[in-house]
Amino acid sequence: MEPRPSGGSKPAEPGPCLRSPGGACQGTSAYSLSSAGAEPGCSVAAVLPAGGCGERMGVPTPKQFCPILERPLISYTLQALERVCWIKDIVVAVTRENMEAMDGIIQRYQHKRISLVESGVTRHRSIFSGLKALAENRPNSKLSKPEVVIIHDAVRPFVEEDVLLKVVTAAKEHGAAGAVRPLVSTVISPSADGCLDHSLERARYKASEMPQAFLFDVIYEAYQQCSDYDLEFGTECLQLALKYCHTKAKLVEGSPDLWKVTYKRDLYAAESIIKERISQQICIVMGTKENEHVGLLEEMLKNELKQVNVTSRPLCHAGRDLQQIILEQCYNFVCVNVMNFDFQETQKLLGMLEESRLSILYPVVVVSVHFFDYNSVPFGEKMENLMWIREFAKEVKKRNILLCGLLIYYPQDELKLQESLRQGATIIAALIKERNSGLVGQLLVA
Ligand SMILES: Nc1ccn([C@@H]2O[C@H](COP(=O)(O)OP(=O)(O)OP(=O)(O)O)[C@@H](O)[C@H]2O)c(=O)n1
Ligand SMILES: O=P(O)(O)OC[C@@H](O)[C@@H](O)[C@@H](O)CO
């Protein structure tokens, strides 16, 4: 099947074009925050085998399409590779029946530089299919043969630029390179009768992970020479380079995050890691005037969320700063309304967030905080206003924005105030950490 550019495999601006509040399209995007600095100095493409059925996951959906925070797993891996601006093409091998679904993912999450090829019945055959697409100058294919090719499982979403650069740089010098990790369990060899024959000395062995990288000609030659047996039953690309091209891969120590999503527990682990990563920044947005409520709440949040960067901005400036806030990967906003029970300020912020399209990739949490002192404000008459939160929340949920309300009692008594703010910070922290869409539109009280 011809490789099919999807979503534009030309090296266009990577990632979704985030709009500044004025609507101007910015070339910068979350994808292209490639760490400035070292590049491999050669042409690099990537092949992602994504044609498996995920049998060990034990669910009908092939695991690469299983959702994490309502977004398919493979989209996180594509995003990770797209952040690396020196990877010029990403070839994804998927089954024929999943092509349309894959196209839809690429369009929805605005992935760039992607070309699709048909996968094979084994992982090696899928990889070979991707390599062929790069090797052969096929008509209307925008792909060209790279000097170095990265091979990376589509179900390993946590790959960073540094290890990609390491394996590519090592592959340029050695012909092949692959990430490795210390073994967790000891490897044993069973005898024919199912008893222990011998065990390997764990310290002398490593677990082979991904990414791997190869001089394109080395790995393509290896696959062309490869026996059917190896194509059918092999699991190690580095071994193919050694066996068929006498190329000894350089082994590169990888980080613990390089693991492969294989079992259901791995999906839960991946979701926890993603939630943790997108909960690291909170932006407190308040009305035009600065007030002590925000300062106190900011302090409480900093106490509650130790590693989290909490900043605050007046809403009137948020528009201009929003682009910067987004580029800082902030997906959590607390909109403070002091002694008012309407949602004008919160709605302004929601409008900016919707326009920025920040929530394409991750659910954005917005907590609409309303300070009140029911001694001075008859609570009942304000409840009607506050109940509007459900309607607003239902509407913005369609754009992956999770809106909740939080009433913080603001008594005159200093100690009671501290307690209310502490409780409010705890609730905000939980909403951000859990990102539970079941709480959308709820009005909580601290
Ligand atoms: N015929 C195949 C089999 C696997 N893969 C891909 O190779 C990667 C790693 O393989 P693995 O974890 O084994 O995936 P599955 O084969 O889907 O899992 P299982 O063995 O549990 O069925 C995955 O991204 C998978 O989609 C592929 O492209 N083509
Ligand atoms: O065997 P699986 O298809 O589960 O995994 C394929 C590869 O990820 C695995 O073999 C690594 O050790 C890297 O070679």
Side-chain angles (χ1 to χ4, degrees):
M1 183 181 202
E2 290 302 303
R4 295 196 297 114
S6 179
S9 67
K10 63 188 184 307
E13 74 292 340
C17 207
L18 297 170
R19 294 188 183 288
S20 68
C25 186
Q26 307 288 323
T28 312
S29 77
Y31 287 136
S32 65
L33 295 180
S34 183
S35 51
E39 296 200 9
C42 61
S43 61
V44 179
V47 170
L48 266 59
C53 60
E55 196 179 329
R56 287 170 285 180
M57 180 65 68
V59 296
T61 306
K63 60 187 178 185
Q64 58 274 28
F65 300 115
C66 282
I68 297 180
L69 294 179
E70 298 179 19
R71 180 174 150 207
L73 170 59
I74 191 169
S75 179
Y76 293 94
T77 312
L78 291 179
Q79 182 188 359
L81 290 175
E82 285 173 318
R83 276 204 186 97
V84 182
C85 60
W86 45 262
I87 297 177
K88 67 183 182 63
D89 290 306
I90 301 166
V91 181
V92 182
V94 292
T95 59
R96 187 181 289 261
E97 57 265 26
N98 285 327
M99 281 281 177
E100 196 174 332
M102 193 63 226
D103 260 332
I105 291 167
I106 289 161
Q107 302 308 324
R108 176 178 168 78
Y109 298 101
Q110 301 188 19
H111 292 299
K112 305 293 180 191
R113 295 177 267 163
I114 313 292
S115 292
L116 300 183
V117 297
E118 188 170 349
S119 57
V121 292
T122 64
R123 175 173 171 269
H124 273 334
R125 291 185 190 281
S126 297
I127 293 168
F128 193 13
S129 177
L131 295 174
K132 282 180 195 165
L134 287 165
E136 296 149 9
N137 282 330
R138 295 172 178 171
N140 77 33
S141 164
K142 295 194 173 81
L143 296 175
S144 58
K145 189 175 93 166
E147 192 176 341
V148 172
V149 63
I150 291 165
I151 297 175
H152 186 69
D153 294 329
V155 291
R156 293 175 187 262
F158 305 116
V159 58
E160 302 290 338
E161 181 172 0
D162 62 349
V163 69
L164 289 163
L165 185 59
K166 280 179 187 166
V167 294
V168 166
T169 306
K172 274 179 69 180
E173 184 181 347
H174 298 268
V180 294
R181 287 287 305 157
L183 282 173
V184 174
S185 303
T186 301
V187 177
I188 61 168
S189 172
S191 58
D193 59 0
C195 295
L196 175 66
D197 182 75
H198 67 277
S199 84
L200 298 181
E201 189 185 334
R202 191 175 66 180
R204 292 183 55 218
Y205 295 87
K206 292 280 187 183
S208 173
E209 303 295 348
M210 307 298 268
Q212 297 177 348
F214 304 83
L215 286 177
F216 185 85
D217 293 339
V218 165
I219 194 63
Y220 192 51
E221 176 65 20
Y223 271 95
Q224 288 176 303
Q225 300 297 330
C226 197
S227 68
D228 280 345
Y229 182 86
D230 279 340
L231 282 177
E232 204 60 29
F233 302 106
T235 60
E236 185 47 77
C237 308
L238 302 180
Q239 173 62 18
L240 301 185
L242 178 62
K243 182 174 179 180
Y244 294 102
C245 293
H246 314 297
T247 299
K248 279 191 170 186
K250 181 69 177 172
L251 303 181
V252 172
E253 200 65 34
S255 72
D257 282 348
L258 289 180
W259 48 278
K260 178 164 66 77
V261 173
T262 303
Y263 300 101
K264 204 162 191 183
R265 66 167 189 247
D266 297 321
L267 273 184
Y268 300 137
E271 179 161 300
S272 297
I273 289 172
I274 291 166
K275 277 184 179 177
E276 186 180 11
R277 288 185 178 183
I278 61 177
S279 304
Q280 296 307 304
Q281 300 259 16
I282 299 177
C283 179
I284 301 176
V285 174
M286 65 283 208
T288 46
K289 58 188 182 304
E290 186 69 36
N291 55 58
E292 75 278 10
H293 309 67
V294 178
L296 286 169
L297 184 60
E298 189 172 332
E299 280 318 304
M300 287 294 181
L301 274 172
K302 284 176 178 172
N303 292 336
E304 182 68 27
L305 293 160
K306 290 287 176 278
Q307 298 80 14
V308 175
N309 178 27
V310 183
T311 56
S312 58
R313 280 179 176 74
L315 186 58
C316 57
H317 296 159
R320 189 188 65 237
D321 297 354
L322 198 58
Q323 182 68 12
Q324 189 50 37
I325 296 168
I326 289 165
L327 290 180
E328 288 161 6
Q329 306 287 293
C330 182
Y331 292 90
N332 312 292
F333 295 84
V334 176
C335 189
V336 176
N337 303 271
V338 180
M339 297 306 174
N340 82 34
F341 295 83
D342 59 35
F343 291 96
Q344 283 171 13
E345 309 286 328
T346 302
Q347 281 181 289
K348 263 189 241 166
L349 173 64
L350 290 170
M352 292 174 191
L353 289 172
E354 288 185 78
E355 196 175 325
S356 74
R357 295 153 66 208
L358 171 70
S359 57
I360 285 182
L361 296 180
Y362 300 108
V364 172
V365 169
V366 175
V367 183
S368 185
V369 171
H370 300 262
F371 283 100
F372 74 101
D373 172 2
Y374 48 64
N375 294 324
S376 54
V377 174
F379 191 52
E381 71 185 56
K382 299 301 177 186
M383 269 315 284
E384 198 177 330
N385 280 15
L386 288 167
M387 294 317 288
W388 271 101
I389 187 141
R390 285 195 298 204
E391 294 312 310
F392 296 141
K394 204 183 294 178
E395 190 49 40
V396 296
K397 175 69 174 63
K398 297 169 190 168
R399 279 171 289 290
N400 211 16
I401 295 174
L402 310 179
L403 172 66
C404 305
L406 173 62
L407 297 181
I408 297 183
Y409 172 43
Y410 193 79
Q412 299 314 315
D413 174 86
E414 187 61 26
L415 281 180
K416 285 184 180 168
L417 170 61
Q418 295 284 341
E419 182 45 37
S420 288
L421 286 168
R422 192 170 296 109
Q423 179 63 38
T426 303
I427 293 172
I428 291 169
L431 289 171
I432 288 171
K433 278 181 183 170
E434 290 314 311
R435 277 177 152 69
N436 186 328
S437 53
L439 290 178
V440 159
Q442 298 306 301
L443 194 57
L444 307 170
V445 183

